[in-house]
Amino acid sequence: MKLFWIKRVVGGLLFAVIFVTAAGWAVSSLWNWLVPVLFAGPTITFVQALGLLLLSRILVGFRGGWGGRRWGGGGWGGGPYGHPRHAYWREKMSNRWQNMTPEERQQFKQQMKEQWKGGCGPRGFGRQHWGPQPQETESGHPAEPTATKS
């Protein structure tokens, strides 16, 4: 049994080394073939190509593979609508929406517009200013801060 796992680990490490070497060689070859001709850029070494690969993984993310949203994997966990738990909430909200009167639907839409008008999230990411806005005075200038006595 131990021999099986030793072979498996050694085989995995060998595959990883071969894969990284092939990827580095491919990036180096493609870069040196295209960039100097198209953009008058520098040529790179194999080690620099490995650095570019690592940098791209850091910037793009390590959520790997060819799957994900691009190839029909759908969000977190696959399927056309994302994670399987999302189906529960989708069905729950669909039932709630169907059981609303037109007036309740309009009121719900208005509440959602009010809640999300400044951005997404409880703190309003995307809003211009965080927190309460200063009150305007009659002269059109923001109110002066007042000192509090301790």
Side-chain angles (χ1 to χ4, degrees):
M1 192 66 169
K2 273 186 169 182
L3 186 60
F4 169 76
W5 287 107
I6 291 172
K7 286 182 179 179
R8 192 164 187 158
V9 168
V10 169
L13 289 174
L14 184 62
F15 177 77
V17 168
I18 291 171
F19 180 78
V20 168
T21 303
W25 176 81
V27 168
S28 175
S29 297
L30 286 171
W31 180 282
N32 291 334
W33 176 48
L34 294 172
V35 172
V37 174
L38 294 176
F39 306 110
T43 59
I44 62 172
T45 64
F46 175 75
V47 175
Q48 290 171 326
L50 291 178
L52 280 174
L53 281 174
L54 180 61
L55 178 64
S56 67
R57 294 312 292 174
I58 290 171
L59 293 176
V60 174
F62 287 93
R63 291 181 31 214
W66 293 98
R69 296 174 190 264
R70 288 182 297 173
W71 304 108
W76 300 308
Y81 300 108
H83 198 280
R85 287 186 300 227
H86 295 175
Y88 167 77
W89 292 106
R90 191 175 304 105
E91 184 176 344
K92 185 175 180 177
M93 288 305 296
S94 175
N95 290 339
R96 177 186 263 182
W97 184 260
Q98 290 172 355
N99 292 331
M100 285 184 184
T101 64
E103 293 81 21
E104 290 172 329
R105 289 181 185 177
Q106 189 62 30
Q107 182 183 6
F108 179 77
K109 285 181 183 180
Q110 187 61 35
Q111 287 174 343
M112 289 296 107
K113 283 181 184 177
E114 283 295 316
Q115 180 177 347
W116 298 101
K117 70 180 176 182
C120 67
R123 291 189 172 186
F125 294 109
R127 294 183 184 173
Q128 296 209 341
H129 303 285
W130 292 50
Q133 299 296 316
Q135 297 295 324
E136 294 281 330
T137 59
E138 289 184 21
S139 64
H141 298 289
E144 294 294 322
T146 57
T148 56
K149 294 181 180 178
S150 302

